[in-house]
């Protein structure tokens, strides 16, 4: 479920469209914030604020695709829904290929748009949940000493304590002590828990 503090950000240069969209969102209890241009939105953009973005493709100044690209450079950004006129469908397809959740043609169907907004808000909540977990894991990793990190990498690689001891030229009991501290500091209940945490950080760094 989406966060109750989530906001639907509406960026459209047409005031009537902005008002219509805002009324529709508010009619189902959603928080709304409207902007007439991409620059106006970026001036107040706060990556920490959960929500989603309803975005027109063609606008004076910064286009919807340009704003989408700017947001994509941020670590955390609201999922984008494209609302477009009939002539803008090819551009909307490009926006979806660039990561937009959906595109809705004007004149839009109210329920279809609301369904898309709820999907986008749920996606945002999941993304922020994953980002929060990754931040927690990184914080735990920072508490490890260089030797504990070394042991952890070998453990995650599947090496036995005896092998690790030989490679590091230490006793097996020393490896066991390091391993126990790693498990404690990482709050890992099992080796599989530790592996999942380490792999999640590595996968995120690759992407």
């Amino acid at each position: 479920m989406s966060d109750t503090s989530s906001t639907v950000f509406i960026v459209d240069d047409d005031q009537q469209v902005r008002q219509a969209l805002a009324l529709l969102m508010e009619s189902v209890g959603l928080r709304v914030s409207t902007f007439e241009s991409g620059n106006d939105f970026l001036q107040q953009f706060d990556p920490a604020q959960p929500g989603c973005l309803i975005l027109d493709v063609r606008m004076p100044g910064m286009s919807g695709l340009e704003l989408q690209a700017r947001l994509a450079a941020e670590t955390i950004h609201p999922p984008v829904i494209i609302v477009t006129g009939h002539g803008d469908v090819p551009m909307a397809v490009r926006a979806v290929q660039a990561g937009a959740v959906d595109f809705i043609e004007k004149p839009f169907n109210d329920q279809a748009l609301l369904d898309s907004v709820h999907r986008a808000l749920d996606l945002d909540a999941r993304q922020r949940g994953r980002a929060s977990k990754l931040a927690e894991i990184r914080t735990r990793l920072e508490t490890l000493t260089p030797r504990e990190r070394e042991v952890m990498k070998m453990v995650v690689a599947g090496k036995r304590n005896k092998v690790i001891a030989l490679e590091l030229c230490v006793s097996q009991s020393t490896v066991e002590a390091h391993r126990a501290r790693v498990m404690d500091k990482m709050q890992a209940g099992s080796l599989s828990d530790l592996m999942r945490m380490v792999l999640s950080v590595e996968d995120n760094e690759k992407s």
Side-chain angles (χ1 to χ4, degrees), residues 116-142:
S116 185
V117 165
H118 284 296
R119 286 196 300 272
L121 292 176
D122 287 342
L123 173 61
D124 183 63
R126 292 195 301 273
Q127 290 176 337
R128 289 177 186 279
R130 286 194 294 269
S132 178
K133 289 179 181 178
L134 281 171
E136 289 179 10
I137 293 170
R138 288 194 175 101
T139 298
R140 295 172 194 170
L141 285 170
E142 290 172 0

Side-chain angles (χ1 to χ4, degrees), residues 50-197:
C52 71
L53 182 63
I54 299 178
L55 179 60
D56 190 16
V57 174
R58 293 187 183 274
M59 295 182 289
M62 183 184 300
S63 72
L65 294 180
E66 290 172 331
L67 176 55
Q68 182 186 19
R70 292 275 194 94
L71 293 174
E74 299 288 337
T75 303
I76 296 291
H77 59 84
V80 170
I81 298 168
I82 298 295
V83 176
T84 175
H86 292 288
D88 297 326
V89 171
M91 293 180 68
V93 171
R94 283 174 52 200
V96 172
Q97 291 172 339
V101 173
D102 200 356
F103 76 85
I104 308 291
E105 291 186 61
K106 298 176 183 177
F108 51 83
N109 175 278
D110 288 357
Q111 190 57 54
L113 180 56
L114 287 173
D115 289 345
S116 185
V117 165
H118 284 296
R119 286 196 300 272
L121 292 176
D122 287 342
L123 173 61
D124 183 63
R126 292 195 301 273
Q127 290 176 337
R128 289 177 186 279
R130 286 194 294 269
S132 178
K133 289 179 181 178
L134 281 171
E136 289 179 10
I137 293 170
R138 288 194 175 101
T139 298
R140 295 172 194 170
L141 285 170
E142 290 172 0
T143 68
L144 301 180
T145 66
R147 177 62 84 178
E148 287 166 352
R149 280 176 172 266
E150 196 172 13
V151 170
M152 180 187 70
K153 288 179 181 179
M154 291 180 170
V155 168
V156 170
K159 294 183 179 180
R160 297 179 180 276
N161 291 348
K162 183 177 180 179
V163 174
I164 296 173
L166 287 171
E167 292 187 12
L168 297 180
C169 298
V170 298
S171 68
Q172 189 168 330
S173 60
T174 297
V175 172
E176 290 169 355
H178 283 313
R179 181 168 178 163
R181 284 195 293 272
V182 168
M183 298 295 284
D184 181 58
K185 289 182 178 181
M186 293 300 296
Q187 300 178 31
S190 64
L191 176 57
S192 60
D193 284 344
L194 181 65
M195 292 179 69
R196 278 194 292 270
M197 284 189 276

